[in-house]
Amino acid sequence: LTSQLETPDSFVNLAWYSAVLTCLERRVFYGSLDRPHFVNGFFLLVGPPSVGKGTIMREAHKLIADKLAPKNAAGNYEKDPISGERRRLYQCMPDTVTFEKLIESISKSGNTVLYKGPEGQDLAYKHFSTYFHLEELSSLLKPNKSEDVGRFLLNMYDCSEYTYATRHHGTFSLKQPCLNFMAGTQVDYIRRAESTGLLGEGLFSRFIICYERMPRQAVFEFGNLTDEQKEIKGQLANWLAQLSLLFGPIKYASDEVPKFMQDWWEKEAKYLARFGDSKLCNYFARRKDHVKRLAAAIHFSDNLT
C-alpha cells in the first residue's frame, strides 16, 4: 500500500503500530482493572522537511477514520462532539484547537463497553479514548498553554484521571481517559522547545522517537492506487475496525515470558544505575513501558485474541 511513497520504512512501521494501539483504546491492558497498564502509544517522527512524516500519518489516519461508529444502545447514530457529523468508530482530535475546547471535546467522547463479570453478571465499562495525528508537534505545544498541555499529556500517557477548571465554562473531569498520540517534528523545534521549557524530559521520555535523515526514494507523483492496493487498504481498515471489539487483559503466552522479562529488567536497572548521562537515563527508564506497548502493537497487528 505504501510502495509509491517516499516515507522511510521505519516511519511506515511506527505509523502502523500507532494505528493498532489507537484502535485498542482503553479497552486492552496488562494486568487487571484494579492495577492496569494500558497500551496507548506516544510516537514522534523526527526529520527534515519532505522526508515523509506527514505523508505516512495521513495514510494511517485514512485507515483509522474509514469506519463510522455503529448505532448506540438506543438504536441511534451519535454525533461527533466536535464536527457535529456522524461519529466515527475512533475519535480523532483536530490539528488546531484551544486547550479548553480540547478538554471539553474529550469529556464528550465517552464510549461504553458491556461485558460479563466473573460471576456472569452484566457490567459496563465507560472510557474516553481519543487520538492525535499532528503533522507538526508545535500546533499543540504552544507557549501560552505549554504547562497545561504538558501536564495533560503526562496524565493521558498513564490514562489517569484529569480535572480542568475554567473561569467561565465550568469544570471538566475525565474519569477514565486514554490518548494515543503521533506527531511529526524537526530537530530544530525540539531544541527550541527544550530550551524554553515547552518539552520537558518527563514528557519527552514518554515518546517512542524515530529519526530519519532521508526519504526512502525520490517521488514526483504518488500515482493512483491499483486495484490490489485498494483491496489491501480495505483489508487493513477492516482489521483496525475489528480491534474495536476487543476488551480485557493481555495474557502472556507462557509463564516463561514474565520470568524472562523480569530478568531482563533487573539487568537493565543495574545498567541504568551506572549510566552517566542524566538526560538519556530519564528516557531509558521508560524502556519497560515502551517494550510492553510495542509488544502489544506487534501482537495485535495479526492477532485478535
Side-chain angles (χ1 to χ4, degrees):
L1 180 61
T2 62
S3 61
Q4 296 122 309
L5 305 182
E6 77 275 16
T7 307
D9 290 341
S10 57
F11 284 0
V12 174
N13 292 339
L14 285 189
W16 169 256
Y17 292 151
S18 175
V20 170
L21 296 184
T22 294
C23 298
L24 295 176
E25 300 184 309
R26 205 181 196 269
R27 295 172 284 98
V28 175
F29 44 87
Y30 292 95
S32 68
L33 285 176
D34 295 325
R35 189 178 289 169
H37 180 110
F38 296 104
V39 296
N40 56 311
F42 280 25
F43 295 87
L44 190 59
L45 307 183
V46 186
S50 302
V51 79
K53 304 183 295 292
T55 301
I56 197 60
M57 280 192 282
R58 288 190 293 272
E59 291 292 316
H61 176 66
K62 291 174 187 176
L63 297 177
I64 300 173
D66 187 52
K67 299 295 181 180
L68 294 167
K71 292 181 178 180
N72 57 25
N76 301 317
Y77 292 115
E78 295 184 2
K79 289 186 177 181
D80 185 288
I82 298 175
S83 67
E85 301 175 352
R86 183 179 162 186
R87 186 168 179 171
R88 300 283 172 174
L89 188 58
Y90 304 110
Q91 182 67 52
C92 181
M93 293 291 100
D95 291 349
T96 303
V97 62
T98 64
F99 185 68
E100 289 78 8
K101 188 64 177 178
L102 169 66
I103 304 303
E104 179 184 0
S105 299
I106 297 176
S107 69
K108 296 178 180 178
S109 65
N111 273 313
T112 301
V113 177
L114 303 177
Y115 68 101
K116 294 291 184 180
E119 300 178 1
Q121 69 272 41
D122 292 326
L123 298 174
Y125 173 79
K126 190 168 186 177
H127 63 98
F128 298 82
S129 299
T130 59
Y131 71 95
F132 266 118
H133 275 178
L134 299 177
E135 294 191 26
E136 181 44 64
L137 183 63
S138 60
S139 64
L140 180 65
L141 288 177
K142 298 176 181 177
N144 61 330
K145 281 293 181 180
S146 62
E147 187 174 338
D148 287 339
V149 173
R151 190 178 300 111
F152 165 74
L153 291 177
L154 289 176
N155 280 55
M156 293 302 101
Y157 180 82
D158 295 319
C159 297
S160 57
E161 183 176 338
Y162 183 83
T163 301
Y164 183 74
T166 67
R167 289 183 178 180
H168 306 293
H169 302 287
T171 299
F172 300 99
S173 183
L174 307 179
K175 295 293 186 182
Q176 297 194 108
C178 178
L179 179 69
N180 277 276
F181 194 104
M182 182 164 62
T185 193
Q186 300 179 39
V187 172
D188 288 346
Y189 175 77
I190 292 177
R191 288 179 178 143
R192 291 198 307 273
E194 186 181 32
S195 64
T196 58
L198 282 176
L199 193 61
E201 292 175 21
L203 177 57
F204 199 56
S205 68
R206 285 163 169 79
F207 282 95
I208 294 176
I209 304 167
C210 185
Y211 175 69
E212 289 283 1
R213 287 188 178 90
M214 298 290 293
R216 175 174 56 184
Q217 58 190 353
V219 180
F220 184 67
E221 289 184 346
F222 295 148
N224 297 326
L225 294 179
T226 65
D227 291 339
E228 181 185 16
Q229 286 176 316
K230 291 178 182 178
E231 181 181 352
I232 290 172
K233 181 181 178 181
Q235 291 173 359
L236 293 175
N238 286 333
W239 180 269
L240 295 177
Q242 289 182 76
L243 294 178
S244 69
L245 304 176
L246 296 180
F247 174 75
I250 296 171
K251 301 295 185 182
Y252 290 119
S254 74
D255 292 339
E256 295 302 312
V257 177
K259 292 178 182 178
F260 177 88
M261 298 311 296
Q262 177 65 26
D263 180 61
W264 166 76
W265 188 242
E266 287 177 0
K267 294 176 181 176
E268 193 75 3
K270 291 179 180 178
Y271 168 73
L272 292 176
R274 301 191 305 268
F275 199 76
D277 191 314
S278 60
K279 189 174 296 186
L280 287 178
C281 187
N282 193 18
Y283 185 79
F284 290 156
R286 296 283 169 193
R287 205 177 257 172
K288 175 177 64 173
D289 292 348
H290 296 329
V291 165
K292 295 177 80 169
R293 297 178 192 214
L294 276 176
I298 294 169
H299 172 77
F300 291 107
S301 289
D302 57 10
N303 201 306
L304 291 172
T305 59

